[in-house]
Amino acid sequence: MSDIAMTHRVYDAATHVFDPLHAYWESETNRKIVTALLVALFLSSLIAIELNRQALLPDPFREIIGYSHFQAINAAFTLVLLLEVVSLIFVLPCSVSKSVGKQFEILALILLRNSFKELVYLPEPIQIGTDLTPVLRILSDGFGALAIFVILGFYYRQQKHRGELMSGETRYRFVAAKKLVALGLLVVFLGLGLYGGWDFLFETRTFAFFATFYTVLIFSDILLVLVSHRFLPTFHAVLRNSGYAVSTLLLRLSLTAPPYYDAGIGVAAALFALSLTWTYNNFYASGEG
Protein backbone atom coordinates (compact mmCIF):
# COMPACT_ATOMS: atom_id res chain seq x y z
CA MET A 1 0.00 0.00 0.00
CA SER A 2 1.41 3.41 -0.96
CA ASP A 3 2.01 6.19 1.55
CA ILE A 4 -0.74 8.28 -0.05
CA ALA A 5 -3.27 5.45 0.24
CA MET A 6 -2.27 4.84 3.86
CA THR A 7 -2.66 8.55 4.65
CA HIS A 8 -6.15 8.54 3.11
CA ARG A 9 -7.12 5.52 5.22
CA VAL A 10 -5.92 7.27 8.39
CA TYR A 11 -7.89 10.40 7.46
CA ASP A 12 -11.00 8.34 6.71
CA ALA A 13 -10.70 6.47 10.02
CA ALA A 14 -10.30 9.72 11.96
CA THR A 15 -13.36 11.19 10.24
CA HIS A 16 -15.49 8.09 10.87
CA VAL A 17 -14.61 8.13 14.58
CA PHE A 18 -14.75 11.90 15.13
CA ASP A 19 -17.99 12.76 13.32
CA PRO A 20 -20.33 10.44 15.33
CA LEU A 21 -18.75 11.57 18.61
CA HIS A 22 -19.18 15.21 17.61
CA ALA A 23 -22.78 14.65 16.52
CA TYR A 24 -23.64 12.98 19.84
CA TRP A 25 -21.93 15.71 21.87
CA GLU A 26 -23.97 18.40 20.12
CA SER A 27 -27.22 16.41 20.28
CA GLU A 28 -30.27 17.50 22.26
CA THR A 29 -30.16 14.23 24.23
CA ASN A 30 -26.65 14.93 25.46
CA ARG A 31 -27.56 18.52 26.38
CA LYS A 32 -30.41 17.25 28.57
CA ILE A 33 -28.09 14.75 30.28
CA VAL A 34 -25.48 17.45 30.90
CA THR A 35 -28.06 19.80 32.40
CA ALA A 36 -29.34 17.06 34.71
CA LEU A 37 -25.78 16.25 35.80
CA LEU A 38 -25.02 19.88 36.62
CA VAL A 39 -28.16 20.27 38.74
CA ALA A 40 -27.62 16.91 40.46
CA LEU A 41 -23.98 17.70 41.23
CA PHE A 42 -24.81 21.12 42.68
CA LEU A 43 -27.65 19.86 44.90
CA SER A 44 -25.81 16.73 46.03
CA SER A 45 -22.75 18.82 46.88
CA LEU A 46 -24.85 21.13 49.04
CA ILE A 47 -26.39 18.16 50.85
CA ALA A 48 -23.03 16.43 51.35
CA ILE A 49 -21.45 19.63 52.71
CA GLU A 50 -24.31 20.12 55.17
CA LEU A 51 -24.01 16.51 56.32
CA ASN A 52 -20.29 17.07 56.78
CA ARG A 53 -20.93 20.20 58.85
CA GLN A 54 -23.21 18.13 61.06
CA ALA A 55 -20.49 15.46 61.44
CA LEU A 56 -22.71 12.83 59.80
CA LEU A 57 -20.18 11.66 57.19
CA PRO A 58 -17.48 9.00 57.74
CA ASP A 59 -13.96 10.25 58.43
CA PRO A 60 -12.51 9.48 54.96
CA PHE A 61 -15.02 11.84 53.32
CA ARG A 62 -14.77 14.80 55.67
CA GLU A 63 -11.64 16.35 54.19
CA ILE A 64 -12.71 15.65 50.63
CA ILE A 65 -16.20 17.19 50.97
CA GLY A 66 -15.23 20.33 52.87
CA TYR A 67 -17.32 22.50 55.19
CA SER A 68 -18.24 25.59 53.18
CA HIS A 69 -21.48 25.55 51.19
CA PHE A 70 -19.79 27.79 48.64
CA GLN A 71 -17.66 24.82 47.60
CA ALA A 72 -20.75 23.44 45.86
CA ILE A 73 -20.57 26.38 43.44
CA ASN A 74 -16.94 25.56 42.72
CA ALA A 75 -17.82 21.91 42.06
CA ALA A 76 -20.57 22.86 39.60
CA PHE A 77 -18.36 25.37 37.77
CA THR A 78 -15.57 22.82 37.55
CA LEU A 79 -17.92 20.44 35.74
CA VAL A 80 -19.02 23.28 33.44
CA LEU A 81 -15.37 23.94 32.58
CA LEU A 82 -14.70 20.27 31.89
CA LEU A 83 -17.65 20.20 29.51
CA GLU A 84 -16.44 23.37 27.79
CA VAL A 85 -13.00 21.82 27.31
CA VAL A 86 -14.61 18.87 25.54
CA SER A 87 -16.53 21.33 23.35
CA LEU A 88 -13.22 23.04 22.58
CA ILE A 89 -11.76 19.74 21.39
CA PHE A 90 -14.69 19.24 19.03
CA VAL A 91 -14.36 22.81 17.72
CA LEU A 92 -10.69 22.38 16.75
CA PRO A 93 -11.36 20.99 13.26
CA CYS A 94 -13.81 23.81 12.41
CA SER A 95 -11.37 26.71 12.13
CA VAL A 96 -8.45 28.22 14.01
CA SER A 97 -10.40 31.40 14.79
CA LYS A 98 -13.34 29.49 16.32
CA SER A 99 -10.95 27.39 18.38
CA VAL A 100 -9.21 30.50 19.72
CA GLY A 101 -12.54 32.10 20.58
CA LYS A 102 -13.63 28.97 22.44
CA GLN A 103 -10.43 28.98 24.48
CA PHE A 104 -11.06 32.56 25.56
CA GLU A 105 -14.61 31.62 26.50
CA ILE A 106 -13.15 28.96 28.78
CA LEU A 107 -10.70 31.47 30.27
CA ALA A 108 -13.60 33.80 31.10
CA LEU A 109 -15.38 30.92 32.86
CA ILE A 110 -12.19 30.02 34.75
CA LEU A 111 -11.92 33.60 36.00
CA LEU A 112 -15.55 33.49 37.12
CA ARG A 113 -14.90 30.20 38.90
CA ASN A 114 -11.92 31.79 40.62
CA SER A 115 -14.24 34.56 41.82
CA PHE A 116 -16.61 32.03 43.38
CA LYS A 117 -13.69 30.13 44.92
CA GLU A 118 -12.90 33.22 46.99
CA LEU A 119 -16.27 32.86 48.72
CA VAL A 120 -14.92 30.01 50.85
CA TYR A 121 -12.80 32.59 52.68
CA LEU A 122 -15.92 34.53 53.73
CA PRO A 123 -18.14 33.54 56.66
CA GLU A 124 -21.68 32.12 56.44
CA PRO A 125 -24.01 33.94 56.31
CA ILE A 126 -21.89 35.97 53.91
CA GLN A 127 -20.48 39.29 55.09
CA ILE A 128 -17.37 41.38 54.55
CA GLY A 129 -14.82 41.24 57.34
CA THR A 130 -11.72 43.32 57.93
CA ASP A 131 -9.71 41.37 55.33
CA LEU A 132 -10.77 42.68 51.92
CA THR A 133 -8.43 40.41 49.95
CA PRO A 134 -11.19 37.97 48.86
CA VAL A 135 -13.41 40.84 47.73
CA LEU A 136 -10.58 42.44 45.72
CA ARG A 137 -9.82 39.13 44.04
CA ILE A 138 -13.50 38.64 43.23
CA LEU A 139 -13.55 42.10 41.63
CA SER A 140 -10.33 41.44 39.71
CA ASP A 141 -11.39 38.08 38.29
CA GLY A 142 -14.98 39.20 37.71
CA PHE A 143 -14.03 42.30 35.75
CA GLY A 144 -11.36 40.30 33.92
CA ALA A 145 -14.03 37.84 32.78
CA LEU A 146 -16.30 40.72 31.78
CA ALA A 147 -13.53 42.40 29.77
CA ILE A 148 -12.78 39.16 27.91
CA PHE A 149 -16.53 38.72 27.28
CA VAL A 150 -16.69 42.19 25.71
CA ILE A 151 -13.54 41.65 23.64
CA LEU A 152 -14.93 38.35 22.39
CA GLY A 153 -17.98 40.20 21.13
CA PHE A 154 -15.75 42.37 18.92
CA TYR A 155 -13.62 39.35 18.02
CA TYR A 156 -16.57 37.33 16.73
CA ARG A 157 -17.82 40.33 14.74
CA GLN A 158 -14.47 40.33 12.94
CA GLN A 159 -14.91 36.76 11.75
CA LYS A 160 -15.78 36.65 8.07
CA HIS A 161 -16.68 33.94 5.62
CA ARG A 162 -13.94 33.86 3.04
CA GLY A 163 -13.67 32.38 -0.38
CA GLU A 164 -12.46 28.83 -0.80
CA LEU A 165 -8.70 28.56 -1.28
CA MET A 166 -8.64 24.76 -1.41
CA SER A 167 -10.30 22.16 -3.58
CA GLY A 168 -12.82 19.77 -2.05
CA GLU A 169 -10.31 16.93 -1.70
CA THR A 170 -7.63 19.18 -0.21
CA ARG A 171 -10.10 20.67 2.27
CA TYR A 172 -11.25 17.20 3.28
CA ARG A 173 -7.66 16.16 4.04
CA PHE A 174 -7.01 19.39 5.92
CA VAL A 175 -10.09 19.00 8.13
CA ALA A 176 -9.42 15.28 8.60
CA ALA A 177 -5.88 16.04 9.78
CA LYS A 178 -7.30 18.43 12.38
CA LYS A 179 -9.84 15.80 13.44
CA LEU A 180 -6.96 13.40 14.02
CA VAL A 181 -5.28 15.96 16.29
CA ALA A 182 -8.60 16.52 18.11
CA LEU A 183 -9.01 12.79 18.74
CA GLY A 184 -5.51 12.69 20.21
CA LEU A 185 -6.42 15.58 22.50
CA LEU A 186 -9.59 13.79 23.56
CA VAL A 187 -7.55 10.76 24.62
CA VAL A 188 -5.16 13.02 26.56
CA PHE A 189 -8.12 14.80 28.17
CA LEU A 190 -9.61 11.51 29.38
CA GLY A 191 -6.25 10.33 30.68
CA LEU A 192 -5.61 13.56 32.59
CA GLY A 193 -9.17 13.47 33.93
CA LEU A 194 -8.72 9.98 35.32
CA TYR A 195 -5.38 10.90 36.89
CA GLY A 196 -6.82 14.13 38.32
CA GLY A 197 -9.74 12.23 39.84
CA TRP A 198 -7.40 9.68 41.41
CA ASP A 199 -5.17 12.45 42.79
CA PHE A 200 -8.18 14.26 44.25
CA LEU A 201 -9.60 11.18 45.96
CA PHE A 202 -6.51 9.27 47.05
CA GLU A 203 -3.35 11.36 46.67
CA THR A 204 -2.11 14.90 47.37
CA ARG A 205 -4.93 16.82 45.58
CA THR A 206 -2.32 19.11 44.02
CA PHE A 207 -2.81 18.15 40.36
CA ALA A 208 -3.73 21.25 38.32
CA PHE A 209 -5.89 19.74 35.58
CA PHE A 210 -6.70 22.86 33.57
CA ALA A 211 -3.15 24.24 33.66
CA THR A 212 -1.79 20.84 32.62
CA PHE A 213 -4.27 20.38 29.78
CA TYR A 214 -3.71 23.91 28.53
CA THR A 215 0.02 23.17 28.47
CA VAL A 216 -0.75 20.20 26.23
CA LEU A 217 -2.79 22.56 24.05
CA ILE A 218 0.34 24.65 23.46
CA PHE A 219 1.92 21.71 21.64
CA SER A 220 -1.32 20.95 19.80
CA ASP A 221 -1.49 24.57 18.61
CA ILE A 222 2.03 24.34 17.21
CA LEU A 223 1.12 21.04 15.57
CA LEU A 224 -1.95 22.64 13.98
CA VAL A 225 0.18 25.54 12.72
CA LEU A 226 2.51 23.03 11.05
CA VAL A 227 -0.42 21.09 9.62
CA SER A 228 -2.02 24.26 8.25
CA HIS A 229 1.31 25.23 6.67
CA ARG A 230 1.07 22.06 4.58
CA PHE A 231 -2.29 23.16 3.16
CA LEU A 232 -2.04 26.98 3.48
CA PRO A 233 1.62 27.88 2.94
CA THR A 234 1.10 31.63 2.34
CA PHE A 235 2.92 34.03 4.63
CA HIS A 236 -0.16 35.80 5.98
CA ALA A 237 -1.94 32.52 6.78
CA VAL A 238 1.09 31.12 8.63
CA LEU A 239 1.63 34.38 10.53
CA ARG A 240 -2.06 34.57 11.48
CA ASN A 241 -2.17 31.01 12.80
CA SER A 242 1.17 31.45 14.59
CA GLY A 243 -0.11 34.70 16.11
CA TYR A 244 -3.17 32.91 17.42
CA ALA A 245 -0.83 30.35 18.98
CA VAL A 246 0.95 33.22 20.76
CA SER A 247 -2.35 34.61 22.07
CA THR A 248 -3.34 31.21 23.46
CA LEU A 249 0.14 30.83 24.96
CA LEU A 250 -0.46 34.07 26.88
CA LEU A 251 -3.87 32.73 27.83
CA ARG A 252 -2.31 29.65 29.38
CA LEU A 253 0.29 31.70 31.22
CA SER A 254 -2.58 33.61 32.83
CA LEU A 255 -3.84 30.36 34.37
CA THR A 256 -0.71 30.04 36.50
CA ALA A 257 -0.19 33.75 37.18
CA PRO A 258 -0.73 35.22 40.68
CA PRO A 259 -4.04 36.91 41.54
CA TYR A 260 -4.68 40.18 39.64
CA TYR A 261 -1.99 39.32 37.09
CA ASP A 262 -4.04 36.38 35.83
CA ALA A 263 -6.91 38.61 34.73
CA GLY A 264 -4.55 41.23 33.29
CA ILE A 265 -2.63 38.72 31.17
CA GLY A 266 -5.87 37.10 30.01
CA VAL A 267 -7.31 40.44 28.88
CA ALA A 268 -4.03 41.32 27.12
CA ALA A 269 -4.11 37.95 25.30
CA ALA A 270 -7.69 38.57 24.15
CA LEU A 271 -6.76 42.06 22.91
CA PHE A 272 -3.82 40.57 21.01
CA ALA A 273 -6.13 38.05 19.28
CA LEU A 274 -8.61 40.82 18.43
CA SER A 275 -5.86 43.06 17.02
CA LEU A 276 -4.45 40.20 14.96
CA THR A 277 -7.89 39.39 13.53
CA TRP A 278 -8.62 43.02 12.67
CA THR A 279 -5.26 43.44 10.94
CA TYR A 280 -5.67 40.21 9.01
CA ASN A 281 -9.19 41.09 7.86
CA ASN A 282 -8.29 44.60 6.74
CA PHE A 283 -5.01 43.86 4.98
CA TYR A 284 -5.19 40.16 4.02
CA ALA A 285 -8.90 39.66 3.40
CA SER A 286 -8.34 36.81 0.94
CA GLY A 287 -7.01 34.50 3.68
CA GLU A 288 -8.54 31.30 4.93
CA GLY A 289 -10.75 31.02 8.03
Side-chain angles (χ1 to χ4, degrees), residues 20-57:
L21 290 174
H22 188 197
Y24 174 75
W25 184 257
E26 297 295 335
S27 68
E28 184 65 24
T29 300
N30 184 62
R31 293 182 185 277
K32 291 179 180 179
I33 294 174
V34 166
T35 301
L37 282 176
L38 286 171
V39 174
L41 175 64
F42 180 64
L43 295 178
S44 61
S45 296
L46 285 174
I47 293 172
I49 290 169
E50 181 59 30
L51 291 175
N52 201 28
R53 290 166 66 97
Q54 301 301 324
L56 297 176
L57 291 181

Side-chain angles (χ1 to χ4, degrees), residues 196-219:
W198 178 269
D199 179 77
F200 180 82
L201 293 174
F202 305 109
E203 300 293 339
T204 59
R205 304 176 69 181
T206 58
F207 180 67
F209 173 83
F210 292 106
T212 303
F213 184 75
Y214 266 55
T215 301
V216 174
L217 281 176
I218 294 174
F219 297 99

Side-chain angles (χ1 to χ4, degrees), residues 119-286:
L119 292 175
V120 300
Y121 300 108
L122 298 176
E124 295 185 48
I126 191 168
Q127 57 182 313
I128 299 177
T130 56
D131 184 8
L132 296 180
T133 299
V135 178
L136 294 177
R137 290 182 177 178
I138 290 173
L139 289 172
S140 173
D141 291 331
F143 274 102
L146 175 61
I148 292 173
F149 184 56
V150 173
I151 295 169
L152 275 176
F154 290 103
Y155 174 82
Y156 285 132
R157 284 192 176 186
Q158 289 291 319
Q159 305 306 319
K160 299 178 180 179
H161 178 72
R162 303 180 177 90
E164 299 289 341
L165 295 181
M166 294 181 284
S167 65
E169 176 63 22
T170 303
R171 174 170 290 278
Y172 172 79
R173 289 188 283 115
F174 182 36
V175 174
K178 293 193 287 185
K179 289 178 180 178
L180 190 60
V181 174
L183 287 174
L185 278 175
L186 187 59
V187 172
V188 172
F189 170 83
L190 293 174
L192 291 177
L194 290 173
Y195 178 79
W198 178 269
D199 179 77
F200 180 82
L201 293 174
F202 305 109
E203 300 293 339
T204 59
R205 304 176 69 181
T206 58
F207 180 67
F209 173 83
F210 292 106
T212 303
F213 184 75
Y214 266 55
T215 301
V216 174
L217 281 176
I218 294 174
F219 297 99
S220 71
D221 281 347
I222 300 302
L223 180 58
L224 288 174
V225 169
L226 298 177
V227 168
S228 65
H229 182 66
R230 163 66 178 82
F231 298 94
L232 295 168
T234 58
F235 162 76
H236 54 270
V238 174
L239 189 141
R240 171 179 177 260
N241 293 337
S242 301
Y244 280 146
V246 171
S247 69
T248 53
L249 171 61
L250 291 172
L251 182 156
R252 284 148 208 166
L253 290 175
S254 72
L255 295 179
T256 56
Y260 312 120
Y261 289 96
D262 55 353
I265 296 174
V267 171
L271 287 172
F272 181 87
L274 175 62
S275 301
L276 178 65
T277 303
W278 183 89
T279 302
Y280 184 82
N281 287 342
N282 284 275
F283 296 101
Y284 307 99
S286 62

Side-chain angles (χ1 to χ4, degrees), residues 15-16 46 74 87 99 129 222 234:
T15 300
H16 291 155
L46 285 174
N74 181 50
S87 297
S99 171
I222 300 302
T234 58

